[in-house]
Amino acid sequence: MIEKYRDIAPDKILSEINALAGALRGHTLQHISSTRIGGGVAEILNRMIPWTTSLGIPTTWDVIDGRQDFFEVTKSIHNALQGSDVEISCCNKEIYLAHLAHNAGKIEPDADVVMVHDPQPAFLIEYFPHRRKSMVWRCHIDLSRPMPAIWRFLRPAINKYAMAVFHIPHFAQKDLTIPKVLISPSIDPLSEKNRELTQEEITRIVEGFGIDRGRPIIVQVSRFDRFKDPMGVIAAFRQVRRHFDCQLVLAGGGATDDPEGPMVQAEVEEAAAGDPDIFVLFQPTDLEVNALQRAADIILQKSTREGFGLTVTEGMWKGKPVIGGAVGGIPAQIIHGETGYLVNSPEGAAYRIRYLLSHPHAGSVMGARGREHVRYNFLITRHVRDYLLLMLHVMQNESERPVFIGGVTGKTGRPGGGDIAAKAGEKS
Ligand code: UDP
């Protein structure tokens, strides 16, 4: 696996992976999450598991199951944890706990290190007191300002984990007594969604949707979710179109754990109806996402709340200027004015789109800088390196000590990690 990434990822990170894998070979890793399809968590795990397995670390992935009512409750919990004013009734808590009890009877957290992803399966830890030292809670959302009632409900369970891992410092919940670790997510440059494509491939796919490559294309790829603000994107586009002949693509699917998707999609389709320059594409394949992002002149991710925002990473890796909402993990990725722009309103987005459409050279320069920024900070190789470090840390039972693992250090700077060779050596 490492050799495939030789001329893509920084050499130093590949050497670090080698050193750490030597110390961990034969140990096991298990992920537990709530869906295999849709959204950033599934996206990362689908790429990450073959990586750790190829390094001699057998890796498994369990998914909790549940009825529609369970996923409605977990969606409300998810929203309330990100600050939405949503009440979770006692009845809903019971639905949640009953499903977790059912799943605890089916899933055995028995690997050397177990990563439980996001709030949906978080309560599982209550059922495995003897495994707590090896269980890590991997939080993919912004937990900085949860609704107090839902946080009071969840916090005692989270505090039983060996550690909690957050994407960026801002997301971490101060009110936790367990160590907090920082590891940014990543994209895989060799996946179908990110691999290089020829211009012919891009044109064939994009024109297949009726999109005209001869006119500017603005693309937002994301689940149909209100926090991704697709209606704000349409409002911004309509302002821009008074001045520029251009096209908008809103491409998205639904995640199996998100029951709100179809409703939001219907609203977007209604808003776009009758406009031949707005393309609402449902459930694009990875190859289609890749081609749409590569065909774009500008990538948007105009979220009003966001986890990390992998579509921003994907857009920057494709050498595009990216305009993103100044929320969640987006400001940790876009360097404002250098790799793209951070915005707070449809008007702000429209203003920046107009600037980039009238200064295409500036857009290309920003895109090239964005690609380098991703190369050092947000490729899967750095992520694998950080997970291996985390495994070592958990297995050495160091959870009582504070730890800093990943993080972005600068424009094209290398993320942290300390003296990794020494760390791997300690273990072997
Ligand atoms: N994605 C996709 N098809 C879709 C919508 C999204 O492949 O129809 C992908 C997108 O390219 C990205 C991921 O799903 O890789 C979304 O991750 P992000 O962090 O942007 O948002 P999330 O959905 O996790 O909130």
Side-chain angles (χ1 to χ4, degrees), residues 73 88-100 153:
V73 175
I88 318 291
S89 65
C90 286
C91 168
N92 282 345
K93 286 180 191 160
E94 275 164 27
I95 291 174
Y96 175 74
L97 293 174
H99 273 83
L100 267 281
F153 173 64

Side-chain angles (χ1 to χ4, degrees), residues 130 225 277 320 384:
H130 57 293
D225 179 316
D277 286 331
K320 306 295 173 178
V384 169

Side-chain angles (χ1 to χ4, degrees), residues 100-137:
L100 267 281
H102 162 75
N103 277 287
K106 295 172 41 169
I107 295 175
E108 182 67 31
D110 54 4
D112 292 319
V113 176
V114 180
M115 274 197 210
V116 178
H117 295 262
D118 273 343
Q120 295 93 328
F123 257 79
L124 278 181
I125 194 151
E126 297 286 358
Y127 299 90
F128 303 99
H130 57 293
R131 300 289 305 148
R132 285 176 187 166
K133 286 199 158 156
S134 59
M135 291 176 79
V136 174
W137 188 54

Side-chain angles (χ1 to χ4, degrees), residues 230-273:
M231 302 298 270
V233 170
I234 292 178
F237 175 73
R238 294 218 152 110
Q239 291 176 33
V240 171
R241 240 242 317 251
R242 288 192 219 127
H243 308 273
F244 289 92
D245 181 16
C246 55
Q247 304 157 91
L248 172 66
V249 181
L250 282 165
T256 54
D257 61 350
D258 179 10
E260 270 174 12
M263 216 182 334
V264 177
Q265 191 198 338
E267 284 168 26
V268 170
E269 279 173 338
E270 195 184 324

